[in-house]
């Protein structure tokens, strides 16, 4: 089989990626499926930890293969699995997001990390669902309710595009906040609607509006914090903030000037950098009178569970969530795909068509 690997990620991962053309197929343990990989969705976690000084060498064992989000076909199912050879599945390639291992033609995947792909769903869509979709869900579900005013920083990226849809759907349902494990019990109630404000560049404003955003702030025109203060003063403060970018720490430190006292600040774009460590430690450990933040700071990560993957698949099939794809790259162009992922210009998910099929 073909497999992408790297032995170093300094100064950047894509410089060291090598496509090996004739690697042996992996042999699955009894608790793992052997999958033929059809498609992989790229995420920042595929390169940020590996590139981090010091941490990268500790967190990622080399040689390593990136690619956490996957869609594939069962070759050999795990023992006692209800899945059968030939069935399509999606989810994640492993339990290690730092080096998922998905960018290969065959992968051994823990049985609990994938679920059956609904009939009619495209692997090229499903491959981008797990991390972005479930991260967006985790950033919203515990913190918003019917009528909430939500601000999403970075509305046109992979997580942001899911988050706009999800915040609209969740609050329309009238569902009160519950623990994430209770989500499978959701029954959609009367549509109530949330007010969703997002930030993006002007060129992506219409995309965000088409996804359901009520208001779009163009961060290229003037400081985003100033725009948020004006928006809060014009109507009322925000009840929840989701930061998918981490480009301006002032967004958190000034959150009290545009959000309610009970509002949470959910940080999605966390990474192994000193700048983020300073923000997180100051926000979570310092009391307000010593310079700490005035809003609760929450670090968000995807909770990859089979029931939530199945629910996400159902939303996509019925149109509740409509994933946005920036581009689809063939297996041979993974390096170019990573460059696009890191450019900051991608709108939606970047997908690798590993098997080359027309799905």
């Amino acid at each position: 089989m073909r497999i992408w690997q790297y032995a170093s990620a300094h100064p950047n991962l894509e410089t060291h990626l090598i496509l090996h053309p004739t690697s042996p197929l992996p042999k699955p343990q009894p608790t793992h499926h052997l999958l033929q990989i059809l498609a992989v969705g790229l995420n920042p976690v595929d390169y940020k930890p590996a590139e981090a000084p010091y941490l990268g060498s500790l967190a990622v064992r080399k040689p390593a293969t990136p690619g956490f989000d996957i869609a594939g076909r069962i070759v050999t199912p795990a023992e006692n699995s209800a899945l059968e050879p030939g069935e399509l599945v999606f989810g994640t390639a492993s339990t290690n997001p730092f080096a998922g291992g998905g960018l290969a033609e065959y992968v051994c995947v823990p049985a609990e990390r994938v679920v059956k792909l609904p009939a009619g769903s495209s692997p090229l869509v499903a491959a981008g669902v797990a991390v972005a979709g479930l991260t967006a869900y985790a950033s919203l579900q515990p913190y918003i309710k019917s009528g909430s005013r939500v601000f999403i920083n970075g509305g046109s990226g992979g997580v942001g595009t899911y988050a706009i849809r999800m915040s609209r759907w969740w609050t329309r349902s009238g569902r009160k906040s519950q623990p994430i494990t209770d989500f499978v019990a959701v029954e959609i109630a009367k549509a109530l609607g949330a007010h969703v404000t997002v930030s993006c560049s002007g060129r992506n404003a219409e995309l965000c509006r088409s996804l359901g955003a009520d208001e779009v702030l163009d961060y290229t025109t003037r400081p985003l914090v100033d725009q948020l203060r004006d928006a809060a003063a014009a109507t009322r403060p925000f009840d929840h903030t989701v930061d998918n970018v981490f480009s301006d720490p002032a967004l958190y430190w000034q959150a009290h000037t545009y959000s309610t006292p009970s509002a949470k600040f959910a940080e999605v774009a966390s990474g192994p950098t000193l700048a983020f460590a300073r923000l997180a430690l100051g926000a979570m450990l310092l009391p307000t009178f010593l310079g700490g933040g005035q809003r609760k700071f929450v670090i968000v990560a995807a909770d990859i569970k089979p029931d939530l993957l199945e629910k996400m698949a159902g939303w996509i099939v019925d149109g509740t969530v409509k994933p946005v794809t920036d581009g689809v790259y063939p297996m041979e162009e993974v390096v170019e795909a990573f460059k696009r992922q890191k450019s900051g210009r991608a709108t939606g998910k970047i997908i690798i068509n590993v098997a080359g099929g027309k799905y």
Side-chain angles (χ1 to χ4, degrees):
M1 70 172 186
R2 295 182 299 168
I3 182 172
W4 284 94
Q5 289 185 318
Y6 61 94
S8 172
H10 181 76
N12 55 67
L13 179 145
E14 64 270 19
T15 301
H16 300 278
L17 277 171
I18 296 173
L19 180 59
H20 297 279
T22 55
S23 293
L25 269 65
K27 296 181 179 180
Q29 303 173 23
T31 56
H32 288 53
H33 304 301
L34 175 61
L35 299 187
Q36 178 194 7
I37 299 298
L38 303 179
V40 171
L42 299 188
N43 293 288
V45 75
D46 292 323
Y47 66 87
K48 283 187 176 181
E51 292 179 352
Y54 308 112
L55 177 64
S57 59
L58 297 174
V60 181
R61 180 179 297 178
K62 315 294 192 311
T65 296
F68 193 52
D69 282 357
I70 59 166
R73 178 180 288 111
I74 297 284
V75 177
T76 305
E79 290 184 2
N80 302 316
S81 172
L83 294 172
E84 298 180 355
E87 290 190 306
L88 300 183
V89 296
F90 78 102
T92 64
S94 72
T95 58
N96 178 10
F98 298 158
L103 280 170
E105 291 181 318
Y106 293 87
V107 174
C108 294
V109 176
E112 71 277 7
R113 306 301 282 191
V114 296
V115 298
K116 186 175 180 179
L117 187 66
S121 300
S122 169
L124 296 180
V125 173
V129 167
V131 169
L134 295 184
T135 299
Y137 170 73
S139 74
L140 293 162
Q141 183 270 336
Y143 311 111
I144 68 173
K145 58 184 179 181
S146 174
S148 292
R149 278 176 55 80
V150 179
F151 170 61
I152 299 170
N153 185 33
S156 61
V159 175
T161 51
Y162 277 101
I164 297 170
R165 284 285 186 181
M166 238 173 275
S167 60
R168 298 279 294 179
W169 173 83
W170 183 259
T171 53
R172 283 203 309 269
S173 75
R175 177 77 167 177
K176 295 186 181 296
S177 178
Q178 291 195 9
I180 194 167
T181 52
D182 291 343
F183 185 63
V184 293
V186 169
E187 296 179 0
I188 298 178
K190 181 180 179 181
L192 296 175
H195 187 283
V196 182
T197 298
V198 305
S199 70
C200 64
S201 63
R203 65 186 176 87
N204 292 324
E206 286 307 311
L207 167 64
C208 290
R209 290 191 183 97
S210 73
L211 293 170
D214 296 292
E215 186 175 355
V216 177
L217 306 180
D218 183 350
Y219 66 85
T220 66
T221 58
R222 61 192 181 100
L224 193 53
V225 170
D226 291 344
Q227 297 186 59
L228 289 168
R229 289 192 188 110
D230 290 347
T235 52
R236 65 179 180 84
F238 292 92
D239 301 298
H240 185 56
T241 298
V242 179
D243 183 14
N244 294 313
V245 182
F246 186 57
S247 59
D248 183 7
L251 199 63
Y252 170 72
W253 297 118
Q254 296 298 316
H256 61 282
T257 66
Y258 62 82
S259 64
T260 62
S262 61
K264 308 297 190 297
F265 189 99
E267 182 59 61
V268 174
S270 57
T273 65
L274 290 177
F276 176 74
R278 284 194 295 266
L279 173 65
L281 290 174
M284 300 174 75
L285 298 180
L286 279 179
T288 301
F289 69 90
L290 290 179
Q294 298 183 43
R295 295 295 180 263
K296 185 174 181 180
F297 185 86
V298 182
I299 299 175
V300 175
D303 190 10
I304 310 295
K305 293 182 178 179
D307 52 357
L308 296 180
L309 287 171
E310 290 170 353
K311 184 58 66 174
M312 183 68 69
W315 291 338
I316 293 171
V317 170
D318 67 20
T320 297
V321 172
K322 296 180 180 179
V324 176
T325 300
D326 179 81
V328 178
Y329 292 74
M331 180 69 158
E332 298 79 11
E333 296 182 13
V334 163
V335 171
E336 293 304 313
F338 269 107
K339 290 179 180 178
R340 175 66 177 176
Q341 173 79 16
K342 298 168 72 173
S343 70
R345 297 189 297 271
T347 53
K349 296 297 298 182
I350 294 173
I351 305 295
I352 308 301
N353 189 347
V354 176
K358 296 181 179 180
Y359 307 108

